[in-house]
């Protein structure tokens, strides 16, 4: 049995996936546990009707901060790409998952494919371009290889008839990636998402690996806050 029960349940769930038709179910359940996935969803005031709220779909699913981190070739960017993959391999190894370095490379390659469909920061700042009201059937057309019905039902929003899609072409690109990437590669990707999102709350080796990349390498923070302080901040933030 895994020495870290917090991720044991979600990992078993992933290992039991038999086909990609289950992604709608799995991705929605992951969201309820705070595990990120390629489709981000949030509720906010409707950008064109201040009297109501709307559910927004937005691009997500990357371990690096932005799409450009995957494609820039300057020395710093290449160093960050390498450091990220090293962190992934370390988390896999700590989780007692075999072939940690190979799996880290697989996850990075899949994220790079997802990133290709992401909009740039400049495009995402365009409030007009990122406001695309779509019906459920229209979104199904963009995500034909994804069980949108299960995703909406488990997320608790199946009664909604329209949604605001911030980046329509991203959903189409994600659909192509779902179709072409193997199920085993997707499983490795979601194991990585579980490990990254839960690492700060696991034992010190996991937390330190996460801190070293995200806080120290990316953010310049030299030392982590005491765990007790982090716990208080988590509660306050909730």
């Amino acid at each position: 049995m895994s020495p870290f029960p917090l991720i044991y349940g979600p990992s078993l769930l992933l290992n039991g996936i038999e086909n990609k038709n289950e992604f709608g179910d799995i991705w929605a359940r992951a969201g309820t546990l705070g595990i990120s996935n390629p489709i981000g969803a949030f509720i906010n005031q409707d950008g064109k009707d201040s009297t109501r709220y709307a559910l927004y779909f937005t691009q997500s699913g990357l371990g690096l901060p932005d799409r450009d981190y995957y494609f820039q070739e300057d020395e710093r960017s290449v160093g960050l790409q390498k450091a990220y993959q090293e962190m992934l391999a370390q988390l896999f190894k700590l989780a007692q998952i075999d072939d940690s370095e190979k799996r880290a490379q697989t996850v990075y390659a899949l994220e790079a494919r997802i990133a290709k469909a992401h909009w740039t920061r400049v495009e995402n700042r365009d409030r007009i371009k990122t406001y695309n009201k779509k019906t459920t059937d229209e979104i199904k057309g963009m995500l034909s290889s994804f069980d949108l019905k299960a995703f909406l039902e488990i997320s608790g929003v199946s009664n909604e008839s329209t949604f605001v899609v911030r980046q329509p072409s991203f959903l189409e690109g994600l659909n192509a990636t779902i179709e072409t990437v193997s199920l085993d590669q997707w499983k490795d990707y979601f194991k990585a998402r579980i490990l990254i999102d839960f690492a700060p709350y696991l034992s010190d080796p996991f937390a330190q690996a996460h801190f070293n990349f995200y806080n120290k390498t990316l953010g310049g923070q030299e030392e982590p806050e005491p765990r007790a302080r982090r716990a208080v901040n988590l509660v306050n933030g909730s």
Side-chain angles (χ1 to χ4, degrees), residues 35-50:
I35 302 168
S36 58
N37 63 71
I39 301 177
F42 62 93
I43 296 172
N44 201 2
Q45 193 172 42
D46 191 310
K48 290 190 175 181
D49 183 356
S50 61

Side-chain angles (χ1 to χ4, degrees), residues 94-194:
L94 287 168
Q96 302 174 10
I97 297 175
D98 295 335
D99 299 322
S100 58
E101 292 185 3
K102 181 179 179 181
R103 291 178 190 272
Q105 293 168 3
T106 295
V107 171
Y108 182 83
L110 176 47
E111 288 186 11
R113 290 194 60 166
I114 295 172
K116 282 184 179 181
H118 269 229
W119 289 18
T120 66
R121 291 187 180 185
V122 173
E123 291 173 312
N124 285 325
R125 286 197 291 266
D126 188 328
R127 299 183 65 180
I128 303 299
K129 190 174 182 179
T130 55
Y131 187 94
N132 304 279
K133 187 163 282 190
K134 303 289 184 180
T135 66
T136 303
D137 286 340
E138 287 175 321
I139 297 174
K140 283 181 180 178
M142 292 183 279
L143 282 172
S144 58
S145 297
F146 181 75
D147 189 347
L148 182 66
K149 180 180 178 181
F151 182 83
L152 296 178
E153 287 178 350
I154 294 170
S155 299
V157 292
S158 59
N159 60 321
E160 294 295 320
S161 58
T162 59
F163 306 86
V164 178
V165 179
R166 284 177 47 78
Q167 306 95 357
S169 63
F170 168 71
L171 294 185
E172 295 169 347
L174 176 62
N175 190 68
T177 302
I178 292 173
E179 291 177 344
T180 56
V181 172
S182 73
L183 181 60
D184 284 340
Q185 289 174 307
W186 276 109
K187 286 183 179 181
D188 283 342
Y189 167 83
F190 275 100
K191 287 175 183 177
R193 299 261 56 80
I194 293 170

